[in-house]
Amino acid sequence: MPDIVSPIDGKVAYRFSQLELDDALRRLEHAEAVQRQWRRTPLSERVRVCLSMLDEYAKRVDEYAEQITRMMGKPLGQARGEFERSMTERVRYLCGIAEEALANDTLPDRDGLHRYIRHEPVGVVLDIAAWNYPLLIAVNVIVPAVLAGDAVLVKHASQTALVAEQFQDSFLAAGAPNGLVQAVHMSHETAAKLVATRRLGFVSFTGSVRGGHEVYRTVAQDNFIPVGLELGGKDPALVLPDCDFDFTVENLVDGAFYNAGQSCCGIERIYVDASIYDRFVEAYVAKTREYVVGNPLEPGVTMGPLVDAKAAAHVRRQIEEAVGKGARVLVGSKDFAVPDLSKAYLAPHVLVDVDHTMKVMTEESFGPVIGIMKVRDVGEGVKLMNDSEYGLTASIWTRDVPLGEDLATGVEAGTVYVNRCDYLDPGLAWTGVKDSGFGCSLSKLGFLSVTRPKSYHLRAR
């Protein structure tokens, strides 16, 4: 029975049982049977179930939020907010556009033929969800799939395994058929064998590039199963001289350090025009020092530990390597009362005198560290933004929005913001390029992954 070790104090917080292959196959068989009925359920009922799921989750949000905090370390208020703000917004939006997104694409009749394309459910979806935003990452797949008429098997990251059960229980309480949304705790080996049955309609994975390659190889082996991969990033920001200065500083500090920097679309590197560089760095340092690092269950704490000691050690190595190559630490451990409850705690770090020979500027950090680099002009800034193996999001900060939009066309990323960062709009496609993966969730386009097009030619004789 695997343990969930809390990063708060390094102690076992929860345990869960993993399925053996026979049990996993029974879950799959049950999901297939339920899905055959669910696909015939009117869309209005599917919408009702998803909205009722929110109501049922809300009844236990205090319990569930504490579980999330104990499992992965985000402050309790942020754990609640993940449901109360972001997840609720996404579910309501997706339910609101489901009828339009899933409607038949009807062509004009021709030669006595009635013609249309129907978006039919793929069957059973396997959602392999990450731990950093355990509700949002999972809901991006679960809700569109349920609305489309699919059943969903949720294999959550072992660190946040109980979130899969939270979804399962909330859907059951909302009146969903037993087996429509199931928590499936299983090893990578068991998951691979489940994929090998060729009975899944879609596999979604959120995690590391290495994990994405493993999933892709597994799915490709003797299969033609569609796959969606969201693999993180090294998301840049470019700050121009005419930016709304205080607004920009505040948002880029939050974009770098919210959730202890463990955000797929969090800011990981900043390029600032030379004319405002010194002023920007001074203000950024002052704002960063306002964070309160501590036990995330305690009030007033704005940054808890990283997910585990290994993650914290990875960030420390990047910092040490950068300093060894000439970077300077302007904000670090000396500026905060960092708990010694576990080795997962790490203070926010702000580095300057950085360049692209340093891993902190080129490899994913996924922790509370930011490098700030001076650039001569927008041309150099955009070139450095694109000098990355990743391409998830990027942001440009300027009062000249047409200029920002023009620069954005040259930025290699799935999402580009002007005067915004670290946010997913449910109405816009969530996708990436390069090592950030491929596929799409959210927006009406997100329904395409959990459906398959089927063409109908109908002639009356």
Side-chain angles (χ1 to χ4, degrees), residues 245-258 270 279-293 302-303 330-331 335-336 348-350 370 372:
F245 188 83
D246 291 340
F247 176 82
T248 300
V249 170
E250 180 179 3
N251 278 271
L252 287 180
V253 170
D254 182 72
F257 298 122
Y258 190 86
I270 302 175
R279 180 184 170 212
F280 179 89
V281 168
E282 181 181 6
Y284 197 95
V285 164
K287 192 68 179 176
T288 300
R289 286 177 175 154
E290 295 178 8
Y291 270 85
V292 179
V293 182
T302 54
M303 183 182 293
L330 298 188
V331 179
D335 298 290
F336 302 90
H349 281 65
V350 178
I370 191 74
I372 307 177

Side-chain angles (χ1 to χ4, degrees), residues 128 134 219 239-240 258 297 327 368 372 377 447 452:
I128 306 173
V219 173
V239 181
L240 303 189
Y258 190 86
L297 293 169
I372 307 177
D377 52 34
F447 286 88
R452 59 170 63 96

Side-chain angles (χ1 to χ4, degrees), residues 120-133:
E120 299 199 339
V122 296
V124 178
V125 171
L126 174 60
D127 182 20
I128 306 173
W131 51 264
N132 57 314
Y133 283 92

Side-chain angles (χ1 to χ4, degrees), residues 172-234:
L172 281 173
N178 182 17
L180 183 68
V181 175
Q182 297 183 65
V184 286
H185 306 313
M186 54 186 173
S187 67
H188 297 316
E189 293 75 18
T190 299
K193 291 175 181 177
L194 203 68
V195 170
T197 65
R198 308 184 70 173
R199 290 158 59 184
L200 296 170
F202 176 65
V203 176
S204 173
F205 172 80
T206 303
S208 68
V209 174
R210 179 187 59 79
H213 282 294
E214 290 177 2
V215 169
Y216 202 38
R217 280 193 295 267
T218 298
V219 173
Q221 185 69 38
D222 300 324
N223 291 287
F224 293 107
I225 299 172
V227 181
L229 301 174
E230 201 255 276
L231 309 178
K234 190 70 182 174

